[in-house]
Amino acid sequence: MPDDQLSLTFAALADPTRRAILARLADGEATVNELAEPFDMSLQAVSKHLKVLERAGLISRGRDAQWRPCRLEAAPLETASEWIDRYRERWTDRFDRLDQEIRKFRRGQEGHDHG
């Protein structure tokens, strides 16, 4: 498993169960039992998903005696979003330039059709 932060984040986000857990935690803290409720899987399986999310820094777990609430940590998601946005901006610029070239080409074609 990769150990750089961005790879850990994307690997954790690759699983739909983990994305659903993060979506639930976006509404506030929850226990493992609360997080496991909507899934047809064992608490042990949910705990494995939580360990992946925790290793990626996407969640943290409290230490209140028996109640260890999980909470969303936004920083890794923000980093991933910034990385995606950089590439989105590059592709948007490229598509804008391509669109301009296509328009120039079409105007040139229209001029030849009527000339």
Side-chain angles (χ1 to χ4, degrees):
M1 179 115 189
D3 59 0
D4 70 279
Q5 184 58 53
L6 198 55
S7 294
L8 289 171
T9 299
F10 283 124
L13 293 174
D15 185 271
T17 300
R18 292 192 287 269
R19 291 192 305 271
I21 289 170
L22 290 176
R24 165 55 187 87
L25 291 175
D27 293 334
E29 293 182 353
T31 65
V32 174
N33 286 336
E34 291 169 335
L35 293 171
E37 282 177 16
F39 302 107
D40 186 23
M41 64 178 66
S42 68
L43 282 177
Q44 183 179 8
V46 172
S47 289
K48 286 182 180 182
H49 283 295
L50 293 175
K51 285 178 185 170
V52 172
L53 291 168
E54 194 170 17
R55 187 170 61 238
L58 292 165
I59 68 166
S60 60
R61 299 176 81 174
R63 302 269 181 226
D64 297 338
Q66 293 298 90
W67 192 68
R68 294 185 63 207
C70 298
R71 68 183 61 83
L72 180 66
E73 297 294 337
L77 291 173
E78 291 169 4
T79 300
S81 179
E82 290 167 3
W83 184 86
I84 290 168
D85 285 344
R86 278 195 304 270
Y87 287 93
R88 180 183 301 125
E89 289 171 12
R90 288 181 189 174
W91 281 105
T92 299
D93 289 345
R94 289 178 183 173
F95 285 131
D96 287 347
R97 287 194 305 263
L98 178 60
D99 190 46
Q100 290 170 1
E101 291 301 316
I102 291 170
R103 287 181 185 164
K104 286 180 193 174
F105 177 77
R106 286 185 177 157
R107 281 195 299 268
Q109 290 295 100
E110 288 171 1
H112 284 75
D113 291 344
H114 301 295

